[in-house]
Amino acid sequence: MPSTTAPTPADLLAAARDLTVTGLTRRQAFDTTRTIIDLSNTLGHLLSVCAAEMDRLGVATQSGGKIKPLLIEMGLAPSVADRVLRIGRGLPAMQLLPGYAEDGVFPIEHLDAIVAGLGHVERRALDGLCDEEKREVESALIAQAASGATPTEITDKARALGNEYATETGGLPAAEDHTLNELTLIKVDGRVHIRGDVDIVTGEKLMGAISSLSKKRPEPDGSEDSRSTARRQSDALDLIVDAAAATTSPFVTRPNNHVNLMLPAADPTMSYLQSNGPVTAATAALLACDAGITALIIDDQTVPLKMGKETRYFPAHIRKAIIIRDQCCIKCGAPARWGHAHHRLFWSEGGPTDLDNGCLLCPSCHADVHHLGWDIIMGADGHPWLIPPASRDPRRQPIPAYNRRTMTLDDRSAA
C-alpha cells in the first residue's frame, strides 16, 4: 500500500533537482513550463508565509538581529526580502487574496502589488476603510491582476482608487499627501540608483535647490557647458549632499530651503507654488508658519505695482526663545535645528507671532499637524501640549511636549 505521508520540503527540493527538461516535445515543454510557473507562484506564497512566521516567532531576535538581514543572509536579494515580508505580513488581514496565493494563481510580484495597493488606498481614505470597502478594493485589484495587468498597472489602479477614496472622504489630494512619499536607493554594479515619489512641497524644495545649482557654466576655454541636463542636475545633488554634511549645528536658523508661495490676501484657497502650481489652504498654512512674507500689490494683469520689504513671521529672538523652551520637535523629538516654528493659532485666523503661539515641529510632524488633525494647546505649565486626532485617540487626551514626557505631573506644575 503506498504511503500517504506528505512530502517534506527536502523531498520536493530533491525532486526538483532531479527534474530533466531535455528531449521534450513542444507540448511537453509548454506543459512543463506552465507547471513550473504555478509551482514557483505557490512557493513564493509559502516563502512569504514562512518569512512572516519567522518574524512572529522572533527567530532573528534570538541572535540579536532583524528578520530582513537574516533572510538576506539565507540567500534572498534585499528587494525580494522586502517583498516577501510585506506579503507575509499583509495576507492575514486580507479576505480574498490568500486563496489565490495558496493556489499559485499570481506571481509574487503581483501579490506584492495587490498587498501594497490595498495599503495605499487605506492610507488615502481619511478614516481608513471598513471591511466591505477593503473587500471591494481587494477584489478590484485581483481582477486587475487576473486580466493580465503588470505589477505597475496594478499599482496605478490602486493609486486611482486611492484618489477616489480621498475625494469621497475628504482626504488629502495625492500631490500634497506627505505620507505617500518614498525614496529608494538601490546599489547596482557599484553605483546607486535613486527612485523617489514625493509630495508637491518637497518636490518644490528639491527642484528649486537643484535648479539654483545646475545652471550652465562655461568650460575652461570659454566654450559652452558640455554637461547634459541630467549630468548638471546630478552634480547639483552632489553639492546639496556636501552642503548638508558640512552643516554644523546652528542654534537659531530658519530652515535652509526656499519656496515661493503666492498667497492671495483676498482668497487664500487660490494659493499656488511658483513651479508646481495650486495647493490647498492647509498646505499654504503649513508653508506660511515659518516664512518670510513680502507684500505685493498687483493690478488685474498680475503686474506688481508696489513691493514691500520681506519680514519674518518668527524673527530670530522669538525663534531662539521657542528653541530654549521646546528643545526639539514637540511631537517626535527631532533635533531643534531641523524644526519649523509653527503657529498654534494659524496666521489665517489672526494668530499672533509670539512665544505663546509658537512651537517647534520637524517638517514631517508639521505636516501631520496641518493635514492629519493634530491640535496643539498651551498648557498651564507654559509649555505646548499635543491633542491627537480622534482616529488616533477617540478621547483626544493631551500629550505633553516630547522634552517633558519623562516628567511627572507635579514636576510639570512646578517647572
Side-chain angles (χ1 to χ4, degrees):
M1 182 175 179
S3 172
T4 58
T5 305
T8 65
D11 295 333
L12 294 174
L13 180 60
R17 286 173 171 169
D18 291 339
L19 180 66
T20 58
V21 293
T22 58
L24 302 179
T25 65
R26 289 183 178 181
R27 184 63 194 181
Q28 288 172 332
F30 177 87
D31 290 342
T32 301
T33 301
R34 177 71 266 177
T35 300
I36 292 175
I37 290 174
D38 291 341
L39 178 61
S40 175
N41 294 349
T42 302
L43 290 177
H45 162 255
L46 290 173
L47 174 60
S48 301
V49 173
C50 287
E53 186 67 5
M54 287 176 60
D55 189 27
R56 186 187 68 81
L57 294 172
V59 173
T61 56
Q62 291 179 353
S63 58
K66 295 183 178 180
I67 187 64
K68 179 182 173 181
L70 178 59
L71 291 173
I72 294 172
E73 185 180 331
M74 294 171 72
L76 291 184
S79 59
V80 177
D82 281 329
R83 188 178 294 135
V84 299
L85 285 172
R86 190 160 47 239
I87 295 171
R89 291 164 176 167
L91 278 176
M94 305 190 80
Q95 304 172 55
L96 304 174
L97 188 60
Y100 289 91
E102 291 168 4
D103 292 341
V105 174
F106 300 125
I108 189 172
E109 294 82 3
H110 288 67
L111 294 180
D112 183 41
I114 296 171
V115 171
L118 177 60
H120 171 86
V121 177
E122 191 164 15
R123 289 193 301 273
R124 296 297 310 284
L126 185 61
D127 297 318
L129 302 175
C130 66
D131 289 342
E132 183 178 349
E133 290 170 332
K134 286 183 182 179
R135 187 182 181 90
E136 289 177 356
V137 172
E138 190 179 348
S139 178
L141 297 179
I142 289 173
Q144 186 80 354
S147 71
T150 64
T152 299
E153 290 169 336
I154 296 170
T155 299
D156 290 342
K157 176 67 173 179
R159 287 183 176 275
L161 291 171
N163 289 340
E164 292 178 12
Y165 276 95
T167 300
E168 292 173 2
T169 62
L172 284 174
E176 298 178 31
D177 192 345
H178 77 286
T179 64
L180 304 179
N181 290 2
E182 296 178 347
L183 181 65
T184 306
L185 306 177
I186 305 172
K187 291 189 288 185
V188 181
D189 297 331
R191 297 184 63 82
V192 178
H193 291 193
I194 303 173
R195 184 173 62 225
D197 178 10
V198 298
D199 63 89
I200 190 171
V201 174
T202 304
E204 183 87 3
K205 294 176 184 177
L206 181 60
M207 290 169 64
I210 287 180
S211 176
S212 67
L213 296 171
S214 61
K215 293 180 172 61
K216 290 185 178 182
R217 53 167 173 71
E219 296 293 328
D221 62 0
S223 61
E224 187 177 351
D225 196 336
S226 62
R227 298 175 299 166
S228 66
T229 300
R231 169 65 190 278
R232 286 189 284 109
Q233 290 181 342
S234 69
D235 287 347
L237 180 61
D238 192 20
L239 291 173
I240 292 169
V241 174
D242 283 346
T247 300
T248 55
S249 300
F251 186 62
V252 184
T253 60
R254 63 180 186 254
N256 293 319
N257 51 59
H258 188 76
V259 174
N260 285 330
L261 172 72
M262 309 305 167
L263 186 66
D267 188 0
T269 63
M270 299 300 291
S271 303
Y272 63 95
L273 296 171
Q274 187 172 18
S275 298
N276 287 325
V279 295
T280 62
T283 294
L286 182 154
L287 292 172
C289 266
D290 196 13
I293 306 299
T294 302
L296 288 173
I297 299 175
I298 59 176
D299 64 15
D300 57 356
Q301 301 298 318
T302 69
V303 175
L305 302 177
K306 184 178 180 181
M307 182 173 180
K309 293 183 179 180
E310 178 180 317
T311 58
R312 289 293 303 175
Y313 259 148
F314 278 102
H317 69 286
I318 296 180
R319 187 179 177 85
K320 180 176 180 179
I322 291 173
I323 293 175
I324 291 173
R325 184 195 64 199
D326 296 346
Q327 300 178 16
C328 58
C329 171
I330 66 168
K331 186 170 179 285
C332 73
R337 64 180 180 274
W338 297 358
H340 296 168
H342 164 72
H343 280 79
R344 292 189 307 106
L345 183 61
F346 296 158
W347 54 270
S348 58
E349 300 168 349
T353 300
D354 56 24
L355 178 62
D356 287 342
N357 195 43
C359 62
L360 207 60
L361 290 168
C362 73
S364 179
C365 293
H366 196 191
D368 285 350
V369 168
H370 280 276
H371 291 313
L372 300 183
W374 287 80
D375 290 323
I376 298 173
I377 61 173
M378 189 59 64
D381 56 358
H383 287 262
W385 288 63
L386 291 144
I387 301 179
S391 59
R392 184 78 168 262
D393 177 9
R395 297 183 301 168
R396 306 201 73 192
Q397 291 277 47
I399 302 170
Y402 188 91
N403 64 316
R404 294 172 61 79
R405 288 180 196 166
T406 59
M407 303 175 70
T408 65
L409 287 175
D410 290 339
D411 291 334
R412 293 183 193 126
S413 298

